[in-house]
């Protein structure tokens, strides 16, 4: 209760401080910021693009977008690391031993299990059952589709039981979305280019997953090749921009001949950067989403078998 | 050197970060080798700028040839100037060393995790180099965020430790809050002045800092203060350091927290006409507060890496006190101590990490007698402790001497506070040294792992650094610290470099007596008082004041976020009313 009060007081006070600042800002009718003016002025003559947003993102502020590309990579890799499976190590790692002791200290075996812990463990068990059932190893008495489940049963994780309405709708929407995503990046005069296009393509993958379940998509979405593809996209970004330094004397400078505006190649290196970005964003976000879906709790020795079940490859691919 | 090459020290480690996980599929050691090459290359390129830059020739380059139009720089400029170059060089060289250490000590990791580790480590280092070189506020925010996202995966790397994820979570909440602060501040300044280039912002802010600018300053202080571990924004720091692998804690403490300090110094001294605002007063309160409370908390810790982490809070407090004092001597001392802190804190964290890695022990109460089993680690740790304690002629003595000198005449209250913090620091590290290395331990250790060659090289180089920066104070002051201070104190030169791409700065060296009797007396007095306090402390139960301080650190991220917001609100209120 007391914390809630403090929280409200702080929230209101912060809003007050930000309000003081916002009131002090120039109102509508203020001069157009220089950067907007510049983007509109140089987009056509310098880049042959009709889209000033792309000019800002991939032209004037290249170095920011470059940083943001690797901000995304840092996020993806952080998720991959934190959601990874145990991998076999050689040599002695004192940290493992320290971890085991801390685990005992935090979660001693003979402590009575509280209600929160009981719920959590029950949910874990249920998830494991679901996973087993979905993998087809043990149907465990589950009906064919979730529609046939009695009302009130815990929902299964995978979604292969979507109704025919959803499936048909998805089949119709998918090609439209995929084309729209491709269009955003290919045409070179769409706002933002590769970033939004990548996100749209991730949407396509997610729709397939939602409509047809994990197994249908697992053939396409495999972490191993996707990771390589993502790194290749990132590498392309570096190569495109570094060639500017090699050929034109500045990192990120345009080194491609400019084609007439509103064609595939208008925008010079801007367009190449945008395509590389599409690869990096599309694959990166897919990897993140599927890493979250595949998180298993095989690091805690609470379940004594888990510590021994070190997988030889440990890639996460073969463990499903 | 051609300033067009300036983005390369950022791009090379990023390229290495992409190649490392790809090559990990070929050999488990390939990632670390790639990282070593990338950071070595970055260091080499930075070094080629050193001669000109430290002579006072500042250079800048508009990335992608997007130069200024009518005095407005719309693209991004990177600059080579002594202060940023010092931090960039420090990051690249110590980063190389830390990756060498990782290659050797963590060489047994699985191939995939080693690849991702090398990837994130290089992204973090590249982001810090980017912070040092950029002269653009939004670009600064981008590198701040890259560093933040890379640090999450590294902090939680050892998932077998139950607190790894918890520490990552706390770090994420508080750093995201900080990122929000910095972003809102950038948006406010851009809306008001239509400028992101720091030089252009400096021109716009001269003589006309409105309410929005002051709120932006408070937000920047809170945002970068979080990264710097300045109290009360420091909640994430201790947890993140104790859970992370040894070289990662060293990277966090020796280099990453500096990102916050460097950004605060840059914004306060180079962009805002700081002495017309109440910011120096705020730094002269928050700095000593962090210095004393951090050291007191360090005194009360049982976990060795946690102890060192709180000591980092304390040292950052000392650094920001010097920024607040703002005189030539103080700022020279600030730059000098920034370098020194990176050297000795990296060394100490590597020692602590090596102990955890070899024994699996994290708590001082379990350790003891390591001096007999681990003579080299002991020697390295002792040297680091002696440097922090300011034992002449090691590096801490010279830089602390400068800071004490500057504070003594102008800011007596802050001076007393910094001395008290120094006594507490000596006691805290003395206690750690005694308990871990020299206390009698009855149980024998299981056969200990051998110390690996990479670790020995890293210890050796850092130890040589600690000694060299101590015995050659004139060289460091004249050729590194004073030029850097000159840029921080000469707003116009920095603005010219950030906008026009070149400028010259006149370097004045502060009057500085290395072996002045009063300096020696202060140093020796602090050490003796610290050792006595340490001797008293290890025999007594914990005093109530320290228990109180520890109770304030509840471990709840809600509380830490509340402290952070309270700090932001206070800073904003003081700046708005006092400016």
């Amino acid at each position: 209760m007391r914390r809630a009060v403090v929280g409200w007081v702080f929230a209101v006070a912060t809003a007050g401080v930000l309000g003081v600042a916002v009131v002090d800002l120039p109102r509508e009718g203020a001069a157009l910021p220089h950067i907007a003016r510049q983007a509109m002025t140089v987009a056509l003559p310098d880049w042959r693009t009709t889209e000033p947003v792309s000019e800002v993102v991939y032209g004037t502020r290249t170095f920011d977008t470059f940083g943001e590309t690797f901000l995304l990579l840092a996020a993806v890799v952080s998720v991959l690391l934190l959601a990874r499976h145990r991998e076999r190590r050689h040599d002695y790692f004192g940290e493992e031993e320290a971890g085991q002791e801390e685990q005992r200290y935090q979660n001693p075996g003979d402590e009575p299990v509280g209600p929160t812990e009981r719920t959590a463990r029950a949910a874990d068990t249920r998830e494991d059952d679901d996973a087993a059932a979905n993998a087809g190893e043990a149907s465990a008495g589950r009906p064919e589709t979730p529609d046939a489940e009695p009302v009130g049963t815990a929902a299964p994780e995978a979604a292969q039981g979507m109704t025919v309405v959803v499936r048909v709708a998805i089949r119709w929407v998918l090609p439209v979305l995929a084309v729209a995503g491709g269009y955003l990046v290919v045409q070179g005069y769409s706002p933002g280019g590769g970033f939004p296009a990548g996100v749209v393509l991730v949407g396509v993958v997610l729709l397939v997953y939602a409509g047809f379940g994990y197994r249908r998509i697992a053939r396409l979405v495999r972490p191993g090749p996707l990771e390589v593809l993502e790194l290749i996209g990132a590498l392309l970004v570096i190569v495109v921009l570094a060639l500017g330094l090699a050929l034109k004397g500045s990192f990120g400078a345009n080194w491609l001949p400019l084609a007439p505006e509103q064609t595939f190649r208008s925008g010079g290196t801007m367009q190449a950067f945008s395509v590389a970005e599409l690869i990096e964003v599309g694959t990166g976000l897919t990897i993140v989403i599927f890493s979250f879906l595949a998180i298993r709790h095989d690091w805690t020795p609470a379940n004594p078998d888990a510590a021994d079940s070190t997988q030889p490859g440990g890639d996460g691919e073969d463990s499903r | 050197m051609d300033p067009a090459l300036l983005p390369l020290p950022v791009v090379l480690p990023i390229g290495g970060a992409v190649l490392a996980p790809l090559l990990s599929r070929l050999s488990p050691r390939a990632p670390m080798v790639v990282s070593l090459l990338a950071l070595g290359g970055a260091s080499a390129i930075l070094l080629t700028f050193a001669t000109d830059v430290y002579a006072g020739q500042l250079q800048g380059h508009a990335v992608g040839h997007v130069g200024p139009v009518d005095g407005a720089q719309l693209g991004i400029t990177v600059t080579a100037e002594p202060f940023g170059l010092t931090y960039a060089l420090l990051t690249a060289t110590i980063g190389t060393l830390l990756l060498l250490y990782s290659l050797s000590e963590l060489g047994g990791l699985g191939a995939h995790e080693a690849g991702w580790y090398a990837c994130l480590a290089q992204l973090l280092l590249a982001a810090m180099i980017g912070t040092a070189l950029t002269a653009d506020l939004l670009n600064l925010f981008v590198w701040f965020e890259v560093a933040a996202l890379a640090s999450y995966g590294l902090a939680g790397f050892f998932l077998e430790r139950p607190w790894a994820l918890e520490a990552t979570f706390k770090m994420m909440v508080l750093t995201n809050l900080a990122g929000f602060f910095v972003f809102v501040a950038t948006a406010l300044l851009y809306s008001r002045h239509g400028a992101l280039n720091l030089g252009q912002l400096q021109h716009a802010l001269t003589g006309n800092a409105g309410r929005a600018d002051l709120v932006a300053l408070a937000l920047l202080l809170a945002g970068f203060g979080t990264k710097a571990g300045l109290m009360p924004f420091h909640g994430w720091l201790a947890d993140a350091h104790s859970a992370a692998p040894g070289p990662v804690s060293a990277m966090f403490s020796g280099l990453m927290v500096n990102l916050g300090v460097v950004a605060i110094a840059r914004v306060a001294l180079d962009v805002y006409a700081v002495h017309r605002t109440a910011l120096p007063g705020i730094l002269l309160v928050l700095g000593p507060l962090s210095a004393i409370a951090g050291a007191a908390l360090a005194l009360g810790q049982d976990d060795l890496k946690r102890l060192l982490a709180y000591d980092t809070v304390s040292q950052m407090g000392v650094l920001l006190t010097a920024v607040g004092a703002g005189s030539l001597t103080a700022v020279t001392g600030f730059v000098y101590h920034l370098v020194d802190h990176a050297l000795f804190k990296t060394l100490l964290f590597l020692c602590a990490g090596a102990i955890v890695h070899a024994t699996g022990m994290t708590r001082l109460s379990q350790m003891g007698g390591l001096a007999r089993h681990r003579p080299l680690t002991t020697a390295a740790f002792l040297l680091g402790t002696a440097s922090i304690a300011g034992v002449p002629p090691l590096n801490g003595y010279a830089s602390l001497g400068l800071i004490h000198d500057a504070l003594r005449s102008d800011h007596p209250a802050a001076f007393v506070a910094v001395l008290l913090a120094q006594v507490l620091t000596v006691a805290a590290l003395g206690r750690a040294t005694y308990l871990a290395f020299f206390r009698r331990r009855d149980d024998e250790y299981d056969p200990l792992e051998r110390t690996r060659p990479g670790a020995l090289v890293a210890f050796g180089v850092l130890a040589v650094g600690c000694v060299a920066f101590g015995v050659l104070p004139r060289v460091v002051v004249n050729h590194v610290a004073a030029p850097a201070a000159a840029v921080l104190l000469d707003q116009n030169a920095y603005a010219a470099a950030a906008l026009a791409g070149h400028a010259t700065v006149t370097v004045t060296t502060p009057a500085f007596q290395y072996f002045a009797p009063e300096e020696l007396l202060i140093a020796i007095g602090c050490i003796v008082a610290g050792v006595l306090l340490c001797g008293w402390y290890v025999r007594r139960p914990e005093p109530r004041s320290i228990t109180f301080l520890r109770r304030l650190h509840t471990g709840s991220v809600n509380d830490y976020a509340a402290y952070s917001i309270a700090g932001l609100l206070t800073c904003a209120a003081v700046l708005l009313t006092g400016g």
Side-chain angles (χ1 to χ4, degrees), chain B residues 194-245:
Chain B
L196 292 169
N197 180 281
L198 294 182
Q200 202 188 331
L201 273 176
Q202 191 254 310
H203 288 317
L205 284 166
T206 309
N208 116 60
R211 283 198 305 274
D213 301 324
L214 292 174
V215 171
L217 181 58
L219 286 165
L220 289 172
L221 177 67
F224 291 124
T226 305
K227 207 77 193 164
L230 183 68
M231 275 187 187
F233 311 108
H234 65 290
W236 61 275
L237 198 136
D239 281 16
H241 280 72
S242 56

Side-chain angles (χ1 to χ4, degrees), chain A residues 3 24 33 35 38 61 64 71 78 84 87 89-90 92 94-96 101-102 106 227 231 248 250-251, chain B residues 25 61 64-65 74 108 111-113 136 139 149 153 157 160-162 190 211-212 357 360 363 366 559:
Chain A
R3 281 198 167 139
D24 193 34
I35 195 156
Q38 145 126 1
R61 310 286 301 180
D64 273 348
L71 190 155
S78 278
R84 76 189 191 275
E87 207 174 336
R89 295 169 178 164
H90 51 89
Y92 174 79
E95 287 86 350
E96 284 174 7
E101 191 180 325
E102 286 162 2
Q106 206 179 38
E227 282 162 24
L231 295 171
K248 295 284 168 187
S250 186
F251 187 74
Chain B
R25 283 143 221 262
H61 175 71
H65 291 314
L74 312 157
H112 284 78
E113 55 186 5
D136 187 282
N139 201 233
L149 282 161
F157 185 79
E160 51 269 76
R161 299 193 57 184
Y190 179 68
R211 283 198 305 274
H357 184 78
R363 283 179 289 139
Q366 303 167 310
D559 292 353

